[in-house]
Amino acid sequence: MIAVNFHELVQHVFDDTLAISLPAFRPEMVLCATIVALLLVRMIVPRWLSGPTILTLTGCSLAMWLLAPWRYFCHFFADGTDTFAGETFTGMLQVDGFGVFMRALLIAFVILFVIFTRITRFPHRLDTAEFFVLVLGATVGMCLMVSANHMMIVFLGVEMASVPSYILAGMMKENRRASEAALKYSVYGAAAAGIMIYGISLLCGTLGTAQLPAMAAALAELLQTPTASSSYMILVLGGLMLTVGVAFKLSAVPFHFWAPDVFEGAPAEIAAFLSIASKAAALGLLVRLAIGLGYSPEPEALATLAPVRTFIVATIGVMAAVTCTFGNLAAYGQISMKRLLAYSTIAHAGYMMMP
């Protein structure tokens, strides 16, 4: 009987992966294939200087065509429902209209970013392949962030988006400020990642699951148990630690310290990538976590989760207000244009957190 159940489980996972999960994950697979193609072209045809740009634009355009956001929007405006909503890879990722929109936004920005770097002639043409490999690698991580439905995917997406960004910040190896920016960025990022993964371990260990809908159900059940009050402080601490990682990616106060130094030392093109793509992905992740942990389709559980929603709204609201205020006030005293724009992005992170 156990062998039969195991066989059915494996067959179900196999069928789900081939029929549902992989077709929904095709845009990210194309981006990964583009990374491999860039590395191969760099080795096989090193003198084809325009090749990396052409391959990157082709791969991103194909990923956008496979994602087909217009198809989702047409169905949504036709009947008013998100008919494509569902989970993939046994609940690890969430596919819905919001995720499709955010992934399309990220891929469209990368297409514009590639054109922008071609116009500004950054980086040096001999380093173009490695540069686009890092950009596409970070983009894949950002796509995972906005589609995350599991805490391990949350952490994996954040790290996949962060590690290439550390290298991009120090892309100009001969520039001392760029190297300093990359070092500060990586040190702050490592600290934020450590705090975040510890918070995730507290939440998952207390609730007994790492999938967001199951965590919300476990939270609702825990809040209905009078004897579980001893776990509340652990959950609050874990939630705050999880917020550290997301706030770091958003450069929200008080986890913004890396932004002015990194934006000043990194090339302007990299600063544009970090201030737009990274912020959009972090905002998408924040929406996933806030809704995933505070919402349940069952009316009783939804009413029970009211304290969780109050905690989330209060935390994000206070952080947004402080971020807006500090970002704008600190920008007044800057004499460097790049640092002024860095504080402007900090303030805009607060604006994005408000809704």
Side-chain angles (χ1 to χ4, degrees):
M1 187 67 181
I2 296 177
V4 173
N5 290 337
F6 178 75
H7 174 73
E8 292 177 353
L9 176 64
V10 172
Q11 187 64 37
H12 172 72
V13 172
F14 186 77
D15 294 339
D16 175 79
T17 301
L18 291 182
I20 301 175
S21 300
L22 288 180
F25 199 66
R26 286 182 299 178
E28 288 81 1
M29 293 172 63
V30 168
L31 295 180
C32 293
T34 306
I35 292 175
V36 176
L38 285 170
L39 295 175
L40 291 176
V41 167
R42 183 71 174 87
M43 291 189 298
I44 298 173
V45 197
R47 295 187 179 182
W48 187 25
L49 299 181
S50 60
T53 303
I54 296 174
L55 282 175
T56 306
L57 286 175
T58 303
C60 291
S61 301
L62 180 58
M64 180 67 79
W65 181 74
L66 291 174
L67 183 60
W70 50 87
R71 180 163 54 95
Y72 287 81
F73 299 149
C74 289
H75 280 275
F76 178 78
F77 288 114
D79 54 16
T81 58
D82 192 355
T83 55
F84 291 89
E87 297 178 349
T88 59
F89 296 107
T90 62
M92 301 295 283
L93 298 175
Q94 179 74 25
V95 178
D96 52 17
F98 174 76
V100 170
F101 172 78
M102 294 301 297
R103 289 155 71 197
L105 179 66
L106 291 170
I107 295 174
F109 171 75
V110 172
I111 294 174
L112 296 176
F113 179 72
V114 173
I115 298 173
F116 176 58
T117 55
R118 180 70 174 180
I119 294 173
T120 60
R121 298 181 180 180
F122 177 86
H124 190 275
R125 301 187 72 179
L126 294 177
D127 298 329
T128 306
E130 292 83 354
F131 175 72
F132 287 140
V133 164
L134 294 171
V135 170
L136 291 179
T139 304
V140 173
M142 294 173 189
C143 290
L144 291 178
M145 288 170 62
V146 301
S147 302
N149 197 46
H150 194 279
M151 281 298 179
M152 291 300 100
I153 296 296
V154 170
F155 183 73
L156 178 65
V158 170
E159 286 303 288
M160 282 187 66
S162 298
V163 174
S165 300
Y166 305 154
I167 306 172
L168 287 171
M171 196 71 185
M172 298 176 63
K173 299 180 285 293
E174 69 282 356
N175 190 324
R176 184 176 178 180
R177 285 192 174 183
S179 301
E180 182 183 353
L183 178 61
K184 289 183 177 180
Y185 196 9
S186 60
V187 170
Y188 281 124
I195 296 173
M196 182 181 183
I197 193 64
Y198 188 68
I200 290 175
S201 66
L202 290 178
L203 291 174
C204 297
T206 304
L207 299 177
T209 180
Q211 194 173 11
L212 289 179
M215 292 178 72
L219 268 174
E221 183 178 354
L222 189 66
L223 291 173
Q224 291 175 340
T225 306
T227 58
S229 57
S230 58
S231 301
Y232 293 167
M233 186 56 63
I234 299 176
L235 293 174
V236 170
L237 183 61
L240 292 176
M241 287 184 169
L242 177 62
T243 306
V244 170
V246 182
F248 168 79
K249 294 299 295 179
L250 273 170
S251 65
V253 176
F255 309 104
H256 67 285
F257 298 106
W258 63 272
D261 293 330
V262 171
F263 277 56
E264 184 180 23
E269 293 83 358
I270 304 303
F273 180 79
L274 295 177
S275 64
I276 298 176
S278 182
K279 296 288 192 302
L283 180 65
L285 177 60
L286 181 63
V287 172
R288 287 290 185 199
L289 293 174
I291 295 179
L293 294 176
Y295 172 78
S296 175
E298 299 179 3
E300 295 183 359
L302 183 63
T304 307
L305 288 172
V308 177
R309 291 193 296 275
T310 302
F311 172 76
I312 293 173
V313 170
T315 303
I316 297 176
V318 171
M319 191 174 295
V322 174
T323 301
C324 293
T325 305
F326 177 82
N328 286 314
L329 292 179
Y332 282 113
Q334 304 304 315
I335 57 176
S336 169
M337 178 59 69
K338 295 177 74 174
R339 292 185 71 89
L340 186 147
L341 293 175
Y343 281 106
S344 176
T345 61
I346 293 171
H348 280 77
Y351 298 146
M352 291 191 298
M353 293 167 65
M354 284 183 179

